[in-house]
Amino acid sequence: MSTLVFLEHHGSNITKPSLGVLSKAASLDPDTSGIIIGSGVSGLAAEAARYGAARVFIADDARLEAPLPQARVDVIAGLVALHGFGNVLFGASVLASDIAGGLAARLDAGLNWDLADLAVEGDTLVGKRSALGDTVLVDVGWSAEPRLGLIRAGSFEPAETPGAGAVEQVAVALEDFSVKAQMVEQAHEEQTGPSIEEADILVAGGRGLGSPEAFKELEGLAALLGGAVASTRAVVDSGWYPYQTQVGQTGKTVAPKLYIACGISGAIQHKVGMQSSQIIVSINKDPNAAIFDFSDLSVVGDLHAVISKLTALVAERKG
Amino acid sequence: MKIAVCVKEVPDSGPLRRIDPDTKRIDRSGDRSLNAFDLNAIEEALRLNEAGGGGEVVLVCLGPDRALESLRKGLAMGADRAVLISDDAAAGSDLVATSYVLAEAIKRESPDLVFFGQQAGDSDGAVLWAAVADRLQLPVISQVSELEVANGSVTAKRQTEFGYDRIQAPLPAVLAVSDALNEPRYPSLKGIMGAKKKPQEVVSLADLGVPADRAGQAGSRTTVTALHPPPSRGDTQKIEDDGSAAQKILEYLMERKLV
Ligand SMILES: Cc1cc2nc3c(=O)[nH]c(=O)nc-3n(C[C@H](O)[C@H](O)[C@H](O)COP(=O)(O)OP(=O)(O)OC[C@H]3O[C@@H](n4cnc5c(N)ncnc54)[C@H](O)[C@@H]3O)c2cc1C
Ligand SMILES: Nc1ncnc2c1ncn2[C@@H]1O[C@H](COP(=O)(O)O)[C@@H](O)[C@H]1O
């Protein structure tokens, strides 16, 4: 076996999910390499070595500056053709998913996503994933090499396990179509808002609130409970509430003592950001909402009615 | 503009969704409908053409014959025609195989834009567009929450783990849209009545020139080897609000010293 791990970076750091996958892969396969792709990224090789990379491939080119997927598919496909890696692994992210999907087509390789764990059985890799909104766990495999895997963020903590970290530069040859998409403006946080990561209690609102104004109701309840208000991507993308308060795959990961989910369907990308909450109470009018699959107390009903009553009751109790 | 929208038929959400222990595939016997996330893609395609002086919106779906019924919902919203790739040999296609088949069907149409929904409700993959774009050799932008088409190019805003990007690509291009991009319209009565009469083409793999070993199990590279129930969540409660839910929540929180 030999394994290649895509090491995504942001600014001058390799992302935590990538390092987690790297150290896990190195623990399963001593022949694990990392690849860092960008412009002016050579300085990141040492960090990769610290988390277990026996070799670190560097693709450094001005055309690779923006974090766009298609040019990265060209680079990784070229490297796989040269070295014949058995496994190519990614920590899930928007960028990594788009690279992995493109690479699967380019190499006619199998891609398993949303993996929560990896194991080696015999001489082959086995992935463990949950499916259908985490209602079933499946062992997945690959019928050919390379085996491509996207690992759900947060599955593996980065562990310092030094690897040799021999650095190799990669020649960069890009397809015409791969450089057609251009970054106009990169990763800026639109608005600022309160920090939700320290709060013991979060009252979270989703599209079920129906309007941006309804967030006022949640703010009232959160204030009484001594907590903060969180949100979903659907409401943030709609401009209803600030990005800073978004919980989930592309937002914050939180683990408060209490998470009250109001009008949130419970999509997997939201769940990964809040499933470690100690107590989850959810209010949704749809009895089949996925959020109920992982709530401690599920309330089927109209959130406006429930929240306004609950707010009054808590206010009364506090005197 | 000619816009192709890739849409999938998925099992209705609900307590009966399950994986068939024999075939290890998603049980497709229950009620089914058009993947809700794909309605946002159809809506955006319709709006672009309504604003831009016409064109054509073509739905493209890989699925069983029965999926025609779901496709009619998209036609009722206003799409002009549907192409359904239906073939026993395509059953069980994974990402590699599905992307191959869809790309061949899309090539026949040579659209200016290819739209995808943000994810299929049954697979939650959110990866297919990248594979199809690679096969079509077209630029791709995913997670699009705002978009503008002008002067032969598209500019789109997307959310990633780090905030918002703005990306531009020349047409033709592949776009995957966020479910916050728009509010899908409800089909009008007239739309529903007219949907049945709109062109609905059912094609086989052979019609598309797809070799049998590129689709279905033969064309797939992933396997499911075992199924397990997930760990139980322990002590959970579910109540219907009959007016007393707020009181029950308060008691629940007080018992746990959270209030
Ligand atoms: C790559 C990727 C990354 C993503 N990252 C994130 C992320 O970081 N965070 C995130 O949240 N999402 C993320 N998403 C989006 C995610 O898939 C869902 O689309 C999103 O979480 C849905 O938000 P929602 O629950 O607010 O809206 P919806 O799914 O529309 O749910 C609204 C819910 O409100 C209920 N409702 C409506 N009215 C009422 C009422 N009056 N009373 C009670 N209930 C009511 C409805 O029954 C429904 O269940 C991501 C998706 C992708 C593809
Ligand atoms: N069988 C299919 N036929 C047509 N389009 C599909 C099919 N499966 C998925 N799609 C499209 O791909 C998107 C993402 O699917 P997935 O990557 O499976 O989550 C969906 O929102 C659809 O737009």
Side-chain angles (χ1 to χ4, degrees), chain B:
Chain B
M1 270 190 308
K2 181 161 178 180
I3 307 177
V5 186
C6 291
V7 299
K8 187 179 190 183
E9 192 199 47
V10 296
D12 278 348
S13 63
L16 296 176
R17 285 205 313 173
R18 58 171 212 125
I19 291 184
D20 184 325
D22 295 329
T23 63
K24 301 199 173 65
R25 292 184 195 157
I26 291 170
D27 181 352
R28 300 185 185 277
S29 57
D31 283 348
R32 315 184 48 76
S33 49
L34 209 54
N35 177 32
F37 296 108
D38 298 343
L39 302 182
N40 298 98
I42 299 173
E43 176 66 34
E44 199 61 22
L46 295 173
R47 286 191 195 185
L48 276 177
N49 277 348
E50 282 159 6
E56 193 182 23
V57 175
V58 186
L59 308 178
V60 181
C61 175
L62 170 65
D65 281 346
R66 280 201 299 268
L68 270 183
E69 215 169 300
S70 294
L71 286 172
R72 281 199 197 111
K73 163 131 196 227
L75 296 173
M77 283 174 72
D80 299 288
R81 32 190 200 96
V83 177
L84 173 66
I85 309 126
S86 170
D87 200 312
D88 289 343
S93 292
D94 73 352
L95 173 78
V96 173
T98 303
S99 64
Y100 189 91
V101 175
L102 285 178
E104 290 307 305
I106 295 165
K107 276 181 200 161
R108 285 200 325 172
E109 301 287 343
S110 15
D112 302 297
L113 275 170
V114 183
F115 274 135
F116 285 80
Q118 75 169 34
Q119 70 204 83
D122 56 351
S123 67
D124 288 328
V127 282
L128 185 59
W129 47 79
V132 171
D134 196 78
R135 296 201 187 279
L136 295 173
Q137 306 213 320
L138 294 179
V140 62
I141 313 176
S142 64
Q143 321 298 333
V144 171
S145 62
E146 258 175 49
L147 77 93
E148 198 191 346
V149 177
N151 309 320
S153 80
V154 54
T155 308
K157 183 177 150 186
R158 69 160 187 189
Q159 190 190 86
T160 71
E161 289 73 17
F162 312 107
Y164 285 96
D165 293 333
R166 211 169 273 281
I167 299 168
Q168 191 169 52
L171 303 186
V174 176
L175 299 180
V177 306
S178 145
D179 64 348
L181 179 65
N182 55 40
E183 186 71 47
R185 70 193 64 184
Y186 287 104
S188 65
L189 192 59
K190 193 168 148 242
I192 295 168
M193 305 297 285
K196 273 204 169 123
K197 290 187 222 91
K198 289 185 174 173
Q200 299 156 46
E201 191 188 357
V202 181
V203 298
S204 67
L205 294 176
D207 293 334
L208 292 176
V210 173
D213 63 353
R214 300 306 302 251
Q217 215 119 49
S220 295
R221 301 282 180 272
T222 52
T223 56
V224 174
T225 52
L227 299 175
H228 320 274
S232 147
R233 280 267 318 166
D235 208 12
T236 62
Q237 297 177 37
K238 191 164 182 178
I239 55 175
E240 295 250 359
D241 182 26
D242 55 3
S244 67
Q247 181 64 38
K248 286 186 188 138
I249 296 175
L250 181 69
E251 283 161 16
Y252 186 89
L253 299 183
M254 281 165 55
E255 278 163 29
R256 286 159 186 79
K257 306 213 172 359
L258 289 162
V259 183

Side-chain angles (χ1 to χ4, degrees), chain A residues 63-77:
Chain A
R63 292 170 298 169
L64 298 168
E65 165 95 49
L68 293 172
Q70 291 173 295
R72 283 163 173 73
V73 173
D74 297 344
V75 171
I76 299 175

Side-chain angles (χ1 to χ4, degrees), chain A residues 190-194 196 215 219 229-232 235-237 239-247 252, chain B residues 159 164:
Chain A
E190 300 240 301
Q191 299 133 312
T192 49
I196 56 169
F215 271 95
E219 285 167 1
V229 172
S231 67
T232 67
V235 303
V236 171
D237 266 355
W240 292 8
Y241 221 57
Y243 174 64
Q244 293 295 319
T245 64
Q246 181 184 314
V247 168
K252 302 257 159 61
Chain B
Q159 190 190 86
Y164 285 96

Side-chain angles (χ1 to χ4, degrees), chain A residues 81-260:
Chain A
L82 208 59
H83 294 275
F85 294 101
N87 313 312
V88 184
L89 304 176
F90 301 80
S93 72
V94 168
L95 177 65
S97 301
D98 283 353
I99 299 172
L103 196 63
R106 188 76 63 87
L107 302 174
D108 271 313
L111 171 63
N112 282 305
W113 55 82
D114 219 12
L115 301 177
D117 202 4
L118 293 170
V120 173
E121 288 171 15
D123 194 28
T124 192
L125 195 69
V126 175
K128 314 268 176 183
R129 65 165 293 212
S130 51
L132 294 181
D134 290 355
T135 55
V136 57
L137 297 176
V138 289
D139 289 359
V140 292
W142 293 260
S143 55
E145 290 190 359
R147 309 173 192 92
L148 311 187
L150 271 163
I151 288 89
R152 188 188 273 199
S155 298
F156 304 127
E157 277 300 307
E160 292 216 24
T161 45
V167 175
E168 279 182 44
Q169 298 291 330
V170 179
V172 175
L174 305 180
E175 302 282 345
D176 285 345
F177 74 89
S178 298
V179 293
K180 280 191 173 159
Q182 294 280 327
M183 187 70 76
V184 179
E185 186 181 11
Q186 186 181 330
H188 71 119
E189 299 191 357
E190 300 240 301
Q191 299 133 312
T192 49
S195 165
I196 56 169
E197 282 145 306
E198 282 89 58
D200 279 340
I201 294 180
L202 286 174
V203 183
R207 190 151 44 189
L209 261 65
S211 73
E213 292 72 40
F215 271 95
K216 288 268 173 298
E217 299 173 36
L218 301 193
E219 285 167 1
L221 178 60
L224 281 170
L225 293 171
V229 172
S231 67
T232 67
R233 190 186 76 174
V235 303
V236 171
D237 266 355
S238 303
W240 292 8
Y241 221 57
Y243 174 64
Q244 293 295 319
T245 64
Q246 181 184 314
V247 168
Q249 184 191 321
T250 51
K252 302 257 159 61
T253 300
V254 296
K257 290 192 178 128
L258 171 64
Y259 192 91
I260 305 182

Side-chain angles (χ1 to χ4, degrees), chain A residues 20-88:
Chain A
V21 173
L22 175 63
S23 49
K24 176 69 183 186
S27 77
L28 294 174
D29 178 6
D31 187 8
T32 289
S33 309
I35 180 162
I36 304 171
I37 306 176
S39 175
V41 290
S42 299
L44 297 175
E47 199 180 5
R50 251 194 304 134
Y51 289 90
R55 275 183 300 182
V56 184
F57 294 97
I58 302 280
D60 202 328
D61 190 298
R63 292 170 298 169
L64 298 168
E65 165 95 49
L68 293 172
Q70 291 173 295
R72 283 163 173 73
V73 173
D74 297 344
V75 171
I76 299 175
L79 199 65
V80 172
L82 208 59
H83 294 275
F85 294 101
N87 313 312
V88 184

